[in-house]
Amino acid sequence: MAVDLALERAVAMIRTISPNPNRANFGRCSACNVRSLSICGALDQADLAEFERIARHIHVTSNEALFTAGQIAHSVHNLTAGIARLYKLLPDGRRQIIGFALPGDFLGTAPSDRYGYSADAIGSVSVCRLSREAFTHFIAQRPHFLLRINEFAARELMLAQEQMLLLGRRTAEEKIASFLVGWRERLAHIGDERQTIALPMSRQDIADHLGLTIETVSRTLTRFEREKMLVIVAGGVRLLDATRATAMAAA
Amino acid sequence: MAVDLALERAVAMIRTISPNPNRANFGRCSACNVRSLSICGALDQADLAEFERIARHIHVTSNEALFTAGQIAHSVHNLTAGIARLYKLLPDGRRQIIGFALPGDFLGTAPSDRYGYSADAIGSVSVCRLSREAFTHFIAQRPHFLLRINEFAARELMLAQEQMLLLGRRTAEEKIASFLVGWRERLAHIGDERQTIALPMSRQDIADHLGLTIETVSRTLTRFEREKMLVIVAGGVRLLDATRATAMAAA
DNA sequence: CCAGCTGATTGATCCAGATCAAATTCGCCG
DNA sequence: CGGCGAATTTGATCTGGATCAATCAGCTGG
């Protein structure tokens, strides 16, 4: 499992899609490099200036919380760099990761005034944080923006429905293959397109996302490697037989 | 398992929340009895008249399809009476029911131009069907309506997230208890509030919703009955120990 | 009133994936 | 380098829920 340089570059790219996170507070929305991917892609210069006025740029380090399930939802968030794990816990500690948020993802679609899930950083993460109140006021008079938010909610819902199918009816092998193929697609969508798939989350995170144990995830990946479907590298996997993986994910 | 009269009335109520389904084509939106529950609750008289102009009232009988996954999504739907099963299939026939739609539910939040899941009737069902095109045009100039649709999408997303937790991390016993408690809440929300819970869907439907087999659903319900938590009646269950059921659903 | 059909229940057995238990490897810091 | 804690892999065993296989109960139509 040698260090993979292409992979390292891939991870670095996700991390720093915003060139200088430390100076995020001084960055302008109009120069934001995930704008076209995010809900802000629907805003013109004037809207952007107003959006920037109500947004705060926040930076959190690995495993720090962005917000916690059950707390009063004072803010909405727009991920600008890094990856977040979104999860729900049962009282006895069992965890379900309902998704991984990537740069451009909007975390704010909620029916109640409390967060329905928790979110924390995998590696360092930058977000735009807006007070719910200001955000509500902002969108009130901008129908096209609301339409954009709706598209994002619809995409999120579709992903959730796919995940229900995966969790309820797929085998361990199919779960892992689907996850790898789907994750690669999402990385491609944000501009990280290569055959080496970056997996910045831990095996435990993957297990909690797929409704498996860490041992099953590890064994299945090892078996895929034995069967020459992929190679496990530091921080990810290199897909050797994408056709087979896609077939497994579909079936 | 004697016939339960209260239960029969409960089922009848769901079926005929629109008093005379056969005359639905002549009903007016302004007299619609699920309006306040549905997205139309945000419309005033003028909007309603226009909405009615673009809506067609459709009636389908048991197991008929409303639409099918993969087809071009020409229409959006608003359920006015009855219950629909929403599901996804794998190529080999494995099925995941992603939800059951009740009167007032809106089926139209989708990110692509194709249906992401199939929907068909459990018993007879009435819907308002609108062409996607006309609907898109209708909402374009009505921001408050878009806001309402957003609330519905957010609620649907929250239910999907709960279901992911259930599918990924709960035991069979917890799945059944959660389902019963959650279903009772949803029935209460549409005005059917009683301790006897109507279950118009089959055991197979319940199994496919919870990621279980029909045998496990049956055995678990039988055990709950043996343990005096509930009584199985024709078309549903009567909850005897709601406290215990709620505890199981939470834990 | 009964034959036949469909859906539900019950019983016996099996197995995919969980659990328990060590290694082994990796990342990091002195 | 070398040592140490955390993450991952690997191995042995167990088990919750699946699968296979009969019944059984309700309806429906004759």
Side-chain angles (χ1 to χ4, degrees):
Chain A
M1 208 199 286
V3 171
D4 186 296
L5 287 180
L7 199 270
E8 274 194 356
R9 268 184 282 117
V11 172
M13 182 181 186
I14 296 169
R15 295 264 169 271
T16 60
I17 207 166
S18 181
N20 192 339
N22 295 324
R23 300 192 53 195
N25 273 304
F26 310 107
R28 308 283 277 21
C29 284
S30 55
C32 174
N33 35 18
V34 297
R35 192 176 79 233
S36 63
L37 291 173
S38 82
I39 52 170
C40 300
L43 301 178
D44 61 22
Q45 284 300 324
D47 287 344
L48 266 188
E50 171 63 9
F51 188 89
E52 173 145 27
R53 210 184 55 76
I54 62 174
R56 276 200 309 143
H57 300 269
I58 304 280
H59 191 67
V60 301
T61 59
S62 203
N63 296 317
E64 259 189 278
L66 283 168
F67 53 82
T68 303
Q71 285 181 342
I72 294 184
H74 289 301
S75 310
V76 299
H77 299 82
N78 222 3
L79 198 65
T80 55
I83 296 176
R85 76 172 70 83
L86 315 180
Y87 60 97
K88 292 171 77 77
L89 292 173
L90 287 171
D92 65 1
R94 279 174 288 172
R95 184 177 69 157
Q96 178 65 37
I97 293 186
I98 60 168
F100 296 104
L102 287 175
D105 285 353
F106 173 65
L107 310 176
T109 298
S112 86
D113 63 340
R114 289 180 184 272
Y115 295 115
Y117 54 86
S118 302
D120 50 40
I122 296 175
S124 52
V125 161
S126 304
V127 294
C128 292
R129 175 175 286 171
L130 291 79
S131 94
R132 225 177 161 65
E133 193 186 19
F135 185 70
T136 303
H137 184 260
F138 181 82
I139 59 181
Q141 314 287 316
R142 292 173 173 85
H144 67 291
F145 189 51
L146 201 44
L147 214 50
R148 173 92 171 167
I149 289 171
N150 226 266
E151 281 166 26
F152 273 64
R155 195 168 60 200
E156 208 177 332
L157 188 57
M158 192 201 57
L159 285 175
Q161 291 164 349
E162 280 294 335
Q163 191 67 7
M164 286 191 257
L165 176 62
L166 178 147
L167 290 168
R169 288 301 183 219
R170 294 177 116 104
T171 65
E173 168 178 295
E174 290 165 355
K175 284 177 177 181
I176 306 274
S178 298
F179 170 67
L180 291 176
V181 170
W183 183 245
R184 184 174 64 153
E185 268 169 32
R186 290 193 62 204
L187 291 182
H189 180 249
I190 63 164
D192 174 17
E193 206 153 358
R194 67 194 74 235
Q195 87 194 126
T196 298
I197 307 168
L199 297 175
M201 70 292 285
S202 71
R203 295 287 187 268
Q204 186 63 64
D205 286 341
I206 297 174
D208 286 347
H209 185 44
L210 304 180
L212 297 171
T213 59
I214 184 173
E215 292 94 331
T216 299
V217 172
S218 181
R219 270 187 252 274
T220 306
L221 283 174
T222 305
R223 183 160 59 79
F224 285 170
E225 187 171 42
R226 241 191 345 260
E227 295 169 353
K228 312 265 183 260
M229 195 171 91
L230 50 76
V231 184
I232 299 170
V233 298
V237 299
R238 184 168 40 246
L239 209 48
L240 299 180
D241 190 345
T243 309
R244 177 150 176 249
T246 308
M248 262 188 198
Chain B
M1 208 199 287
V3 172
D4 185 294
L5 288 179
L7 200 269
E8 276 194 356
R9 268 183 283 118
V11 173
M13 180 179 189
I14 297 169
R15 294 264 170 271
T16 61
I17 208 166
S18 182
N20 192 338
N22 294 326
R23 302 192 53 196
N25 273 306
F26 310 108
R28 308 281 281 19
C29 284
S30 56
C32 173
N33 36 19
V34 297
R35 193 176 78 234
S36 64
L37 291 173
S38 83
I39 52 170
C40 301
L43 300 178
D44 61 24
Q45 284 300 324
D47 287 344
L48 266 189
E50 171 64 8
F51 188 89
E52 174 145 28
R53 210 184 57 75
I54 60 173
R56 277 200 311 143
H57 299 268
I58 305 280
H59 191 68
V60 300
T61 60
S62 204
N63 297 317
E64 259 188 281
L66 283 168
F67 52 82
T68 302
Q71 285 181 342
I72 294 184
H74 290 300
S75 310
V76 299
H77 299 81
N78 222 3
L79 198 64
T80 55
I83 296 174
R85 78 173 69 82
L86 315 180
Y87 61 96
K88 290 172 78 77
L89 292 173
L90 288 172
D92 65 0
R94 281 174 287 172
R95 183 177 69 156
Q96 178 65 38
I97 294 188
I98 60 168
F100 296 104
L102 287 175
D105 285 353
F106 173 66
L107 310 177
T109 297
S112 86
D113 63 341
R114 291 181 182 269
Y115 295 114
Y117 55 85
S118 302
D120 51 39
I122 296 175
S124 52
V125 162
S126 304
V127 293
C128 292
R129 176 175 286 171
L130 291 79
S131 93
R132 225 179 161 63
E133 192 186 19
F135 185 70
T136 302
H137 184 260
F138 181 81
I139 59 179
Q141 312 287 314
R142 292 172 173 85
H144 66 294
F145 189 52
L146 201 45
L147 214 49
R148 173 93 169 167
I149 288 171
N150 228 268
E151 282 165 24
F152 273 64
R155 196 167 59 201
E156 209 178 331
L157 188 58
M158 192 200 57
L159 285 175
Q161 290 164 350
E162 281 294 335
Q163 191 67 7
M164 285 190 257
L165 175 62
L166 178 148
L167 290 168
R169 287 303 183 217
R170 293 177 118 103
T171 64
E173 169 177 298
E174 291 165 353
K175 284 176 177 181
I176 305 275
S178 298
F179 170 68
L180 292 176
V181 170
W183 183 245
R184 184 173 66 155
E185 268 168 31
R186 290 193 61 202
L187 292 182
H189 181 250
I190 64 163
D192 174 20
E193 204 153 0
R194 66 195 73 232
Q195 87 194 125
T196 298
I197 307 168
L199 297 176
M201 70 292 287
S202 71
R203 294 287 188 268
Q204 186 63 63
D205 286 342
I206 298 175
D208 286 346
H209 186 43
L210 303 180
L212 298 171
T213 58
I214 184 172
E215 292 95 331
T216 299
V217 171
S218 182
R219 272 186 250 273
T220 306
L221 283 173
T222 306
R223 183 160 61 77
F224 284 170
E225 187 170 43
R226 239 188 350 258
E227 295 169 351
K228 312 263 183 263
M229 196 170 91
L230 50 76
V231 184
I232 299 170
V233 297
V237 298
R238 183 167 42 246
L239 208 49
L240 299 180
D241 191 345
T243 310
R244 179 153 174 248
T246 308
M248 260 188 199

